[in-house]
Amino acid sequence: CLSLLAKFGCRFPKTAVGRSMATLLGILNLKRTTKKFNPDMIMQLDVVANPVDVAVSATLGKLALVAMVTSSDLTPLVCLKTTKQTVKHGVSPHSAPAFQLQGLLLGFFLGDFK
C-alpha cells in the first residue's frame, strides 16, 4: 500500500523514528494552517476530480482503517496526509474521517479543542 502511494507522490518515512518526526512536524504544521481554515472554507473545497487523486484518496482511506485497527504508528500520519490531500486536490468520501481524526490529534497532542 505504501509503495503504491509513493508511486503517486504520497510518500511515508520508512522508519518508526522518521514516522514519529513526520507526525510531530505535521501536527505543528497543522496547528499553524488550521488558523487559516474555518469550517466554511472546508465546505467550499472542490470535489476531487482527477482519477489519480481519487485513487490516492481511496487508498489513504483504506490505509487509515487498517492503521487504526492495528494501532499502527501510521494512523496520525495517514490522517495528516489525507487532510493535506483534501486541501490540495479536493474533497473525497475519505476526507470527513480524516478531519475528525485531525480534531482528535489537535486536542490530544496540543490541547486545542476549539
Side-chain angles (χ1 to χ4, degrees):
C1 198
L2 295 179
S3 60
L4 175 66
L5 287 168
K7 290 180 182 179
F8 294 105
C10 186
R11 291 178 176 73
F12 288 83
K14 295 185 187 288
T15 65
V17 172
R19 288 189 294 272
S20 296
M21 291 300 297
T23 299
L24 179 62
L25 291 173
I27 290 170
L28 294 174
N29 189 33
L30 180 65
K31 175 69 174 172
R32 188 187 66 200
T33 57
T34 53
K35 292 179 181 179
K36 299 177 190 174
F37 283 97
N38 60 43
D40 292 331
M41 292 173 77
I42 293 170
M43 294 292 290
Q44 293 175 5
L45 289 172
D46 292 329
V47 175
V48 64
N50 182 331
V52 171
D53 295 330
V54 171
V56 169
S57 293
T59 305
L60 283 169
K62 291 173 183 166
L63 179 59
L65 179 62
V66 171
M68 284 188 276
V69 169
T70 61
S71 299
S72 171
D73 62 342
L74 282 173
T75 302
L77 195 52
V78 171
C79 163
L80 294 166
K81 293 273 188 182
T82 305
T83 54
K84 183 177 178 181
Q85 177 84 7
T86 298
V87 170
K88 187 173 181 181
H89 298 286
V91 178
S92 77
H94 307 285
S95 299
F99 281 115
Q100 290 171 337
L101 188 53
Q102 171 185 320
L104 289 172
L105 288 173
L106 288 173
F108 180 76
F109 285 109
L110 300 176
D112 183 357
F113 295 101
K114 293 182 182 181

